[in-house]
Amino acid sequence: MGGAAGLPLDHMHCISSVTPSRSMPYVAACSPGMTKAGGTFPGGRWLQLSWMLTGGHMQVVSELAGRMPRTAEDLQRLLPGVGRYTAGAIASISFGQATGVVDGNVIRVLCRLRCIGADTSSLAVIDCLWDMANTLVDRSRPGDFNQALMELGATVCTPKSPLCRECPVKEHCHAWRRVEKELASASQKLFGKTTLVPDVEDCGPGGCPLCLPAAEPWDSSLGVTNFPRKAAKKQPRVEWTATCVLERRGRLGAPEYLIVQRPSSGLLAGLWEFPSLPLAPGLQEEQQKEVLADHLRAWTRQPVQTQRLCFIGEVVHIFSHIHQTYVVYSLCLDGDVALDAASSSSRWVTEEEFRASAVSTAMKKVLKARETQRGAQSGRAKGSKRKRESKLGAAGSTPTGMQLSLRAFLRAQPPP
């Protein structure tokens, strides 16, 4: 008879020895609502979630006659953006379907319960964990059980400092048993007893797809945190992007910035940004200016002279999988630049409107770099003015029509 992932039921990773009715406490969990369903967000993920939530709502109303799908299978099949975990959570918590959920916390709990040390991102391990979750879930209270399992991982079976002695399921935990067995073995050695107890946790030879890899065996210093093992982290790819802070003077004299909207899919989907384009590796500054000037013509509808592009600096932003460097330039336009009235993918905004828009953290860094540049330019201008005034005061005379500086005006006059 086969168990999870086709393994025999007497295998150490099998879940048959744990019964839902006595293995997990029920925790009344209150999940915070999605309070950012409209408006602006600190990052692209919130915006994508908002769109998916809105799209799902419209689809339920328009295509499903207002009837929400009630099973995990239908939720995944009928609603955009609903994945396996979301479908399982909604179906079990809201509709009482006896289906499991697997998130990061649940992965950690199940891997320690069954000493699963293989890469948790592999399809075989993921399928096994879902099989376990679906088998363990309490048929009478699936929503409470799933929330309790997630809460257990979040508060007790934590990544670095698990509270094993307080854990309500430690008696079922193979990782905990292994730690206890090693302590008992060390105690026996201390008293001169060298009888070795067979390691019942080892599957033995045969290349178990769920055990710790042979190249990374059990580390006694880690205890239960041997599980789960994290996959080797991939180095983020390096990308360069040219970005231009294109600005004009607004009606009240304050600067206004041109922002454009990114595509509706991909990285930072739908967010607003300063006009940008990817850079090929190895381009020199003049070459960067040339490709950027060509790109800006699409927005300004007029030729852009490369010498007018002022280099601000480089802004580095680290995404989970990308090391992004923005090579930032600024360009101040003399006159008004009309945008295509039929296009909704570009607009002029004030600084306040920019900060209220759905822009990425990286673009906020770019604007800060521009403001720093403007402050430095203003400081140099004030310094030059003070030097001119100082020279005039030292000369003891003021040309006709020029106003005295404050220092010259207050200087004590010699008695007649």
Side-chain angles (χ1 to χ4, degrees):
M1 186 174 179
L7 297 173
L9 283 179
D10 57 351
H11 194 280
M12 60 164 287
H13 303 298
C14 175
I15 45 73
S16 60
S17 63
V18 180
T19 55
S21 60
R22 58 187 176 87
S23 65
M24 298 288 177
Y26 296 113
V27 179
C30 180
S31 299
M34 195 172 176
T35 57
K36 296 186 178 182
T40 59
F41 311 96
R45 183 58 181 157
W46 276 114
L47 188 62
Q48 288 178 322
L49 288 173
S50 174
W51 285 347
M52 290 177 183
L53 184 63
T54 303
H57 169 265
M58 295 174 64
Q59 190 160 343
V60 169
V61 172
S62 62
E63 299 180 18
L64 304 177
R67 298 180 63 85
M68 184 78 172
R70 300 179 69 87
T71 66
E73 297 76 17
D74 286 345
L75 284 162
Q76 268 190 276
R77 181 171 56 87
L78 298 175
L79 298 184
V82 174
R84 198 172 183 180
Y85 163 74
T86 304
I90 294 173
S92 62
I93 297 172
S94 299
F95 301 118
Q97 183 188 8
T99 185
V101 296
V102 174
D103 70 347
N105 290 319
V106 174
I107 288 174
R108 187 164 55 254
V109 172
L110 295 182
C111 284
R112 290 173 182 172
L113 278 172
R114 292 291 163 257
C115 283
I116 297 176
D119 180 6
T120 55
S121 65
S122 71
L123 183 60
V125 174
I126 289 295
D127 286 343
C128 178
L129 292 172
W130 274 99
D131 287 343
M132 289 184 182
N134 287 326
T135 303
L136 283 171
V137 65
D138 190 315
R139 265 52 191 167
S140 61
R141 298 175 65 188
D144 288 341
F145 180 88
N146 285 334
Q147 291 182 83
L149 190 59
M150 292 185 282
E151 189 74 7
L152 180 67
T155 61
V156 178
C157 194
T158 55
K160 294 184 178 180
S161 302
L163 307 174
C164 292
R165 296 193 179 277
E166 301 177 18
C167 181
V169 296
K170 63 177 179 290
E171 299 303 325
H172 304 285
C173 181
H174 283 253
W176 169 252
R177 289 181 192 175
R178 183 158 186 170
V179 171
E180 290 292 285
K181 187 189 66 179
E182 286 198 347
L183 292 176
S185 177
S187 178
Q188 287 181 346
K189 289 180 181 179
L190 184 63
F191 289 101
K193 299 179 181 180
T194 57
T195 304
L196 296 178
V197 180
D199 192 347
V200 297
E201 305 296 348
D202 287 337
C203 294
C208 172
L210 300 180
C211 281
L212 289 168
E216 302 176 42
W218 169 273
D219 184 346
S220 298
S221 66
L222 296 177
V224 300
T225 60
N226 275 280
F227 310 99
R229 286 290 175 88
K230 292 184 178 180
K233 190 174 182 181
K234 295 181 180 179
Q235 289 296 320
R237 67 177 185 267
V238 177
E239 292 186 359
W240 294 75
T241 297
T243 299
C244 183
V245 182
L246 195 62
E247 62 182 85
R248 69 179 186 183
R249 286 293 162 188
R251 289 189 297 270
L252 301 178
E256 291 182 344
Y257 306 100
L258 179 67
I259 57 175
V260 299
Q261 193 169 29
R262 292 183 60 85
S264 58
S265 61
L267 181 68
L268 304 177
L271 295 189
W272 294 82
E273 65 179 4
F274 297 113
S276 305
L277 82 160
L279 286 176
L283 292 182
Q284 301 299 315
E285 182 173 336
E286 284 306 314
Q287 295 172 310
Q288 293 175 0
K289 286 184 175 181
E290 287 175 4
V291 296
L292 184 57
D294 288 339
H295 181 69
L296 293 176
R297 288 191 186 100
W299 307 106
T300 62
R301 297 184 177 182
Q302 57 187 358
V304 175
Q305 298 176 345
T306 57
Q307 59 268 28
R308 295 189 59 198
L309 290 170
C310 180
F311 177 70
I312 294 178
E314 294 179 354
V315 171
V316 177
H317 189 76
I318 309 297
F319 298 95
S320 59
H321 58 296
I322 300 174
H323 186 286
Q324 180 70 261
T325 300
Y326 294 92
V327 184
V328 186
Y329 292 88
S330 64
L331 175 61
C332 297
L333 299 176
D334 297 329
D336 190 18
V337 175
L339 300 176
D340 186 355
S343 174
S344 60
S345 61
S346 62
R347 55 194 173 104
W348 290 99
V349 294
T350 63
E351 180 182 340
E352 182 180 356
E353 290 169 339
F354 174 88
R355 298 190 185 283
S357 300
V359 295
S360 66
T361 302
M363 288 299 109
K364 293 177 182 178
K365 292 181 181 179
V366 169
L367 179 61
K368 185 176 181 180
R370 169 55 182 150
E371 291 173 340
T372 301
Q373 180 199 47
R374 185 184 290 115
Q377 290 173 339
S378 176
R380 287 194 295 269
K382 290 180 180 178
S384 300
K385 182 179 179 180
R386 283 194 295 268
K387 287 181 180 179
R388 289 195 302 269
E389 292 171 349
S390 178
K391 290 179 180 179
L392 291 172
S397 62
T398 304
T400 304
M402 180 171 288
Q403 184 177 355
L404 287 173
S405 68
L406 182 62
R407 180 177 301 185
F409 179 79
L410 296 176
R411 181 179 297 159
Q413 297 295 325

